[in-house]
Amino acid sequence: VSQSRYATWKSGNYPQTIVFHEQRLYLGGTPNEPQTIWGSAIGLYNTFTLGAKDSDAIQFTIASNQYDELVNLSSGRYLLPLTYGGEFAMMGSTTTGITPSTIRTMPQTYHGSNTMVPLKIGKEILFAQRDGKKVRAVSYSTAEDANTAPDISVLAEHLLQDKVKESAFTQDPDYVSWWVMENGDLLSCVS
């Protein structure tokens, strides 16, 4: 890890989320910089030295009209920063991907996410809404040219009163997501 990042990331100020996306390691959401995302140099997962070359490490802070503490990152069609205030798509150009000069972040939906690690199922990413009482599925809509996140738990709201705490996914013999509730109940959802 570059010396400047090593000095920043220390006890009490570690990033709370991590993901690999397009040959970079992304980290984000430290207590001191809760809206900032760092991406390693391409193919060099412990190098975070910033520069102007497309392959150099990157740093980006999500700017929005509200406090948007980053709680999760997920890799899909785009890099998806999930915050307490909403869901974003982080992208670059169509030819180079995310680089120091092409990085841009666009808000997608405004549901907010809790700290549970999202599940990647097919072309969707499932996450628990900020209050933990709804499960949403992020997917790309060609009609809207953006991600949407419909509530997939709308017919089972009575089962989610005790907040989702953790999740897991199995794909054989069927696609089933498993949801551990704060009261210890285990729920399943067949996709």
Side-chain angles (χ1 to χ4, degrees), residues 7-190:
T8 301
W9 298 334
K10 57 187 175 196
S11 182
N13 195 48
Y14 290 120
Q16 72 171 343
T17 184
I18 183 172
V19 70
F20 287 97
H21 181 74
E22 295 179 347
Q23 300 182 31
R24 292 184 193 269
L25 173 65
Y26 286 92
L27 303 118
T30 65
N32 291 345
E33 297 175 90
Q35 294 177 239
T36 300
I37 299 167
W38 296 271
S40 71
I42 290 182
L44 302 171
Y45 304 127
N46 64 345
T47 302
F48 288 86
T49 305
L50 302 176
K53 294 189 296 188
D54 287 352
S55 60
D56 286 338
I58 59 173
Q59 178 178 336
F60 188 82
T61 300
I62 297 171
S64 68
N65 292 333
Q66 60 187 10
Y67 176 75
D68 277 322
E69 179 181 339
L70 182 67
V71 292
N72 278 302
L73 289 169
S74 190
S75 177
R77 178 183 176 103
Y78 307 114
L79 180 63
L80 299 172
L82 303 174
T83 73
Y84 279 128
E87 297 73 46
F88 294 82
M90 193 167 153
M91 64 203 84
S93 75
T94 55
T95 57
T96 63
I98 299 171
T99 69
S101 62
T102 64
I103 188 170
R104 59 192 173 107
T105 300
M106 297 175 49
Q108 301 293 297
T109 59
Y110 298 95
H111 305 294
S113 178
N114 76 1
T115 58
M116 184 201 73
V117 176
L119 298 175
K120 192 171 187 179
I121 302 175
K123 293 184 178 184
E124 295 182 322
I125 294 172
L126 275 55
F127 70 94
Q129 192 168 305
R130 180 179 44 221
D131 64 1
K133 295 184 177 187
K134 291 182 189 285
V135 175
R136 296 193 171 272
V138 174
S139 61
Y140 181 74
S141 166
T142 54
E144 296 180 36
D145 191 27
N147 290 319
T148 60
D151 178 2
I152 65 166
S153 58
V154 69
L155 298 177
E157 288 178 351
H158 61 288
L159 297 175
L160 297 174
Q161 292 307 304
D162 285 310
K163 297 185 181 181
V164 176
K165 181 174 138 182
E166 292 184 45
S167 64
F169 167 67
T170 57
Q171 65 182 17
D172 193 24
D174 296 308
Y175 279 20
V176 179
S177 55
W178 299 92
W179 305 90
V180 179
M181 308 305 291
E182 283 187 349
N183 67 359
D185 285 351
L186 179 65
L187 305 178
S188 64
C189 177
V190 178

